[in-house]
Amino acid sequence: MTPTITAFAASPDRGKGLARDMRVRWALEEVGQPYQVRLVTFAEMKQPAHVALHPFGQIPTYEEDGLTLFESGAIVLRLAEQHTGLLPQDPHARMRAISWMFAALNTVEPSIVERSMAWLFEREQPWYASRIVMLDTRVRQRLDELSRRLGDGPWLDGDFSAGDLLMASVLLRLGSSGIVDAYPNLAAFLARATARPAYRRAFAAQEAVFLASQPPAG
Ligand SMILES: N[C@@H](CCC(=O)N[C@@H](CS)C(=O)NCC(=O)O)C(=O)O
């Protein structure tokens, strides 16, 4: 059965690949699994039909043969377990790659999300200028550590894995802040990740949703 994921009908990032359906689309493309997308509005995400799939009324969700999942990390793990290509076969290497998945979502993403939320909701407030300095420091602390561990390696631990996919997805959320540019090895990691054909296909698919929502030029 072809799995179905949900994504924003109108993504706030205007198709820049930052919404969390992107990482699921990317994983689906990496493993060569065709999929369908159901687009949902913000209002629909909070309705009982969607909340039955996602208790927090968010995207993405994933439905496949009677299995319903939420949380992008769990969905990527499901795909990586089901197919070859995103997790090593060796049991220790596999668990290390899974550790990187958790690290991306649990250790690196929170400070990045906090920074984005402050920009979105607090940037007009009098405290923003001092708060952003503190938030940037916390982001940089994680990037310092990550950069040290990555060193000259192409990926975090051996071959490209779901850990790299999630870490790249998380770092991309720093967007135009320029913070990643101060770390040449992390910038190169992102360049390698986003050059992958699976990433490009996933990006184009989510961007097409935004482009289709725009009035014709002229
Ligand atoms: N931890 C969740 C976060 C999901 C999440 O925050 N989704 C956002 C889109 S990227 C969303 O649906 N936001 C709308 C809302 O929370 O109302 C995951 O990784 O799937």
Side-chain angles (χ1 to χ4, degrees):
M1 180 192 164
T2 306
T4 299
I5 66 167
T6 50
F8 282 132
S11 184
D13 75 343
R14 300 170 63 84
K16 296 286 186 292
L18 302 180
R20 289 176 179 85
D21 58 294
M22 176 61 199
R23 49 188 79 168
V24 172
R25 292 175 186 267
W26 183 5
L28 285 156
E29 293 288 351
E30 287 285 350
V31 301
Q33 171 64 59
Y35 62 101
Q36 294 175 335
V37 182
R38 189 168 63 251
L39 300 177
V40 287
T41 63
F42 273 90
E44 284 165 346
M45 287 193 304
K46 307 304 173 194
Q47 294 300 311
H50 187 77
V51 173
L53 306 177
H54 194 309
F56 307 109
Q58 296 182 313
I59 60 101
T61 59
Y62 175 88
E63 294 160 83
E64 165 225 309
D65 259 338
L67 171 68
T68 300
L69 294 175
F70 62 98
E71 285 296 330
S72 57
I75 300 168
V76 171
L77 181 58
R78 163 69 174 174
L79 294 167
E81 294 279 14
Q82 218 179 10
H83 303 267
T84 54
L86 282 178
L87 285 176
Q89 293 302 315
D90 172 73
H92 286 191
R94 193 175 183 90
M95 280 315 303
R96 288 199 304 274
I98 292 172
S99 298
W100 279 115
M101 296 176 69
F102 278 88
L105 302 180
N106 239 8
T107 304
V108 178
E109 187 165 42
S111 60
I112 294 176
V113 169
E114 208 181 345
R115 184 184 186 281
S116 316
M117 291 297 150
W119 188 83
L120 265 180
F121 298 116
E122 298 173 56
R123 67 180 184 276
E124 305 299 342
Q125 301 300 331
W127 61 78
Y128 180 74
S130 51
R131 180 157 156 71
I132 194 69
V133 171
M134 184 268 290
L135 293 174
D136 279 356
T137 301
R138 276 164 41 188
V139 169
R140 285 200 182 94
Q141 182 191 334
R142 288 293 177 240
L143 298 198
D144 286 349
E145 293 154 343
L146 186 64
S147 170
R148 262 198 304 277
R149 175 53 77 99
L150 177 65
D152 296 332
W155 306 116
L156 291 165
D157 190 326
D159 292 338
F160 178 81
S161 78
D164 298 297
L165 185 154
L166 289 178
M167 192 63 79
S169 302
V170 162
L171 295 181
L172 285 167
R173 294 174 72 89
L174 285 167
S176 55
S177 71
I179 295 181
V180 174
D181 299 338
Y183 302 86
N185 66 340
L186 294 182
F189 170 80
L190 281 189
R192 268 190 297 281
T194 56
R196 293 178 71 83
Y199 176 90
R200 302 301 331 156
R201 288 194 296 274
F203 186 92
Q206 64 77 38
E207 187 184 38
V209 175
F210 168 69
L211 295 177
S213 72
Q214 294 305 291

